[in-house]
Amino acid sequence: MSKSVINSDKAPAAIGTYSQAIKAGNTVYISGQIPLDPKTMELVDGFEAQTVQVFENLKAVAEAAGGSFKDIVKLNIFLTDLAHFATVNEVMGRYFQQPYPARAAIGVAALPRGSQVEMDAILVLE
């Protein structure tokens, strides 16, 4: 099975020892995305704006891999406050159509750079 690194300049550069995504065969593993603006590498303000930015970052990496949100089979969402879950659902509805991917939402104590939300994803390309 071939393995390749996926990189997009439309998503934030990796800020650690990881790749934006790895493609293994027809499966793409997107690393956790936080709401960094890829141009400034600064967090965007406000929970809804952070959620939108995370989806935009995931979209950019998925597209760089040759996929889209319709190819996402698993989405993990990490929240510092589970009270924001309804907002995540509303914003997610702007990006996905049925059938929705499998998903987990996990409450965490903290995220990198003080982010309120982080997501990673697995895509299967046709």
Side-chain angles (χ1 to χ4, degrees):
M1 175 181 336
S2 65
K3 180 173 118 173
S4 58
V5 175
I6 304 298
N7 193 34
S8 172
D9 60 1
K10 295 179 182 175
I15 55 174
T17 54
Y18 64 91
S19 300
Q20 287 178 334
I22 296 291
K23 181 178 178 185
N26 67 336
T27 304
V28 179
Y29 301 89
I30 299 180
S31 292
Q33 294 292 313
I34 61 173
L36 294 175
D37 179 317
K39 293 181 182 121
T40 65
M41 291 299 287
E42 297 293 327
L43 282 178
V44 298
D45 291 326
F47 183 78
E48 183 173 345
Q50 286 197 2
T51 304
V52 167
Q53 187 65 58
V54 169
F55 279 120
E56 289 296 318
N57 293 345
L58 287 172
K59 180 180 173 186
V61 178
E63 288 175 350
S68 69
F69 281 159
K70 71 176 179 55
D71 300 307
I72 294 178
V73 296
K74 178 70 164 111
L75 182 66
N76 291 314
I77 303 168
F78 305 93
L79 299 166
T80 58
D81 185 349
L82 289 173
H84 291 302
F85 191 67
T87 303
V88 170
N89 275 335
E90 190 276 320
V91 174
M92 186 174 170
R94 300 178 205 167
Y95 289 91
F96 289 88
Q97 297 178 354
Q98 291 187 7
Y100 300 119
R103 180 179 79 178
I106 303 156
V108 296
L111 291 167
R113 300 223 181 154
S115 171
Q116 297 179 69
V117 59
E118 179 174 355
M119 296 180 209
D120 64 21
I122 300 171
L123 288 74
V124 176
L125 305 176
E126 295 182 28

